[in-house]
Amino acid sequence: MRKTTILGSVALLALTGCTTDESPVTTAVPTPRHLDATRIETPLDSFLPSKHDALILHQAEARLINQCLNDLGYTKNPMPEPESIQQQDRHSEFIVFPVSQAQQRGYNSPAPATPKGSTWDDRASTTQQELIQGKLRRYKGKDVPEGGCSRVAADRISEGTKIPEQITGGGVVLDRREQASPTGLSEAHVEVLRLEAIFKASKDTKISRMTADWSSCMSEKGHQYTSPQEAANDDRWAGDDVTHLEKRTAVADMECKQQVNYLGVMVSVQSTYEREIMKQRENELAGLRSNTKAWTRNAARVMSQAK
């Protein structure tokens, strides 16, 4: 899978915009001894469900969807209730990964642990997917609930809470219809707000100065790029094949990031803007935290009942 970032086309525009010195005072800049995005934490992460709560939410969603499918008379290929939650890469915006990965895969993400064709999604039939998504109106003489079995599960887990119709941040508008499931809504809400911080951080002079140092380092190694985003999204890396040049460029990229303390500066500046957003949207985030706790309680009640 080709490595992508949270920035997307909207936020990438900010990287070419004007910088400003009118930024909040940043805290001390850390000096991480690693280039591992899974080990990074920034202030907004505190509003995400814990690993334990995320597991309960996913388990309850699977159980409720299976119950709905069974009620409709579809009993094949039940959705598995996960036994654990894998570590999520929540900070792909930093575009960092170990040098050893760059040596093997260039800018590609690590190979999936599960072979293609072996997951539940791969085995799900078109009918099963349509029942879950609500694309079928009737099945075996029964009315399919509006929104499908996924909406049935979402309504049960979110019972007693009010979910915002829209969430905005960084030029992005997230409609609840696009993220109806509570298992993904907390993550989506936080990431949209984080995008606002990424947008602001990209214009900060501390980032522009550090990026210039990174660019000079890359030039000394024979690679001409003005930003890490430009290097990672080079058209020459399109496709699944990983060339020697891509590997060499990715290794140089990571080495230069270590040299200029890229990750430390990025985390410090982005964390500052995240705290600013947390103050500005305090009530909104308090509502998210309250909702997440309620969703987890509802999910725990589902899991406490006999199948």
Side-chain angles (χ1 to χ4, degrees), residues 51-152:
K51 202 169 183 179
H52 174 265
D53 291 348
L55 177 61
I56 293 175
L57 286 165
H58 281 280
Q59 288 175 333
E61 182 180 45
R63 182 168 296 188
L64 290 168
I65 286 176
N66 289 335
Q67 289 174 356
C68 173
L69 289 170
N70 288 338
D71 290 344
L72 291 171
Y74 193 99
T75 59
K76 296 180 290 185
N77 189 39
M79 181 180 290
E81 296 177 10
E83 297 180 357
S84 62
I85 295 291
Q86 293 183 342
Q87 179 69 44
Q88 299 294 312
D89 179 2
R90 289 172 172 162
H91 290 287
S92 60
E93 71 270 19
F94 295 132
I95 320 180
V96 294
F97 40 89
V99 172
S100 58
Q101 179 180 320
Q103 291 170 334
Q104 296 178 2
R105 301 187 60 79
Y107 286 100
N108 277 11
S109 299
T114 305
K116 186 177 181 180
S118 63
T119 65
W120 176 86
D121 300 79
D122 295 326
R123 297 190 301 271
S125 68
T126 300
T127 297
Q128 186 175 20
Q129 293 173 358
E130 291 179 341
L131 289 173
I132 292 174
Q133 298 167 9
K135 293 183 179 180
L136 287 179
R137 293 188 176 181
R138 290 183 64 79
Y139 181 73
K140 291 187 176 180
K142 296 182 178 180
D143 291 332
V144 177
E146 184 178 355
C149 290
S150 64
R151 178 54 62 85
V152 170

Side-chain angles (χ1 to χ4, degrees), residues 67-289:
Q67 289 174 356
C68 173
L69 289 170
N70 288 338
D71 290 344
L72 291 171
Y74 193 99
T75 59
K76 296 180 290 185
N77 189 39
M79 181 180 290
E81 296 177 10
E83 297 180 357
S84 62
I85 295 291
Q86 293 183 342
Q87 179 69 44
Q88 299 294 312
D89 179 2
R90 289 172 172 162
H91 290 287
S92 60
E93 71 270 19
F94 295 132
I95 320 180
V96 294
F97 40 89
V99 172
S100 58
Q101 179 180 320
Q103 291 170 334
Q104 296 178 2
R105 301 187 60 79
Y107 286 100
N108 277 11
S109 299
T114 305
K116 186 177 181 180
S118 63
T119 65
W120 176 86
D121 300 79
D122 295 326
R123 297 190 301 271
S125 68
T126 300
T127 297
Q128 186 175 20
Q129 293 173 358
E130 291 179 341
L131 289 173
I132 292 174
Q133 298 167 9
K135 293 183 179 180
L136 287 179
R137 293 188 176 181
R138 290 183 64 79
Y139 181 73
K140 291 187 176 180
K142 296 182 178 180
D143 291 332
V144 177
E146 184 178 355
C149 290
S150 64
R151 178 54 62 85
V152 170
D155 287 347
R156 177 77 176 278
I157 293 173
S158 61
E159 187 176 6
T161 65
K162 184 177 180 180
I163 298 176
E165 288 299 321
Q166 286 189 334
I167 302 164
T168 61
V172 171
V173 178
L174 178 68
D175 290 326
R176 180 185 180 235
R177 291 186 298 275
E178 298 176 8
Q179 288 285 347
S181 170
T183 57
L185 191 56
S186 294
E187 189 90 22
H189 196 150
V190 168
E191 293 308 322
V192 168
L193 297 187
R194 197 192 310 281
L195 188 59
E196 182 77 18
I198 293 170
F199 213 89
K200 291 181 177 181
S202 68
K203 295 176 176 292
D204 194 289
T205 54
K206 301 176 188 66
I207 299 296
S208 61
R209 286 194 294 264
M210 179 272 297
T211 300
D213 291 340
W214 171 90
S215 181
S216 295
C217 175
M218 288 292 282
S219 180
E220 291 173 2
K221 292 177 180 289
H223 307 284
Q224 305 301 321
Y225 295 105
T226 59
S227 72
Q229 289 75 21
E230 184 182 355
N233 294 306
D234 193 318
D235 289 340
R236 292 177 294 177
W237 319 148
D240 295 327
D241 293 334
V242 183
T243 65
H244 176 69
L245 177 59
E246 178 180 348
K247 294 178 183 178
R248 189 159 56 87
T249 304
V251 168
D253 184 355
M254 297 307 116
E255 290 176 344
C256 285
K257 282 173 177 170
Q258 288 179 318
Q259 181 174 313
V260 303
N261 192 25
Y262 167 90
L263 189 54
V265 176
M266 291 293 292
V267 170
S268 175
V269 174
Q270 183 168 310
S271 293
T272 298
Y273 285 106
E274 287 190 13
R275 292 188 190 94
E276 184 183 67
I277 288 168
M278 287 163 59
K279 291 180 180 178
Q280 294 170 348
R281 305 178 75 158
E282 183 177 2
N283 291 338
E284 178 182 343
L285 285 165
L288 171 61
R289 178 164 281 164

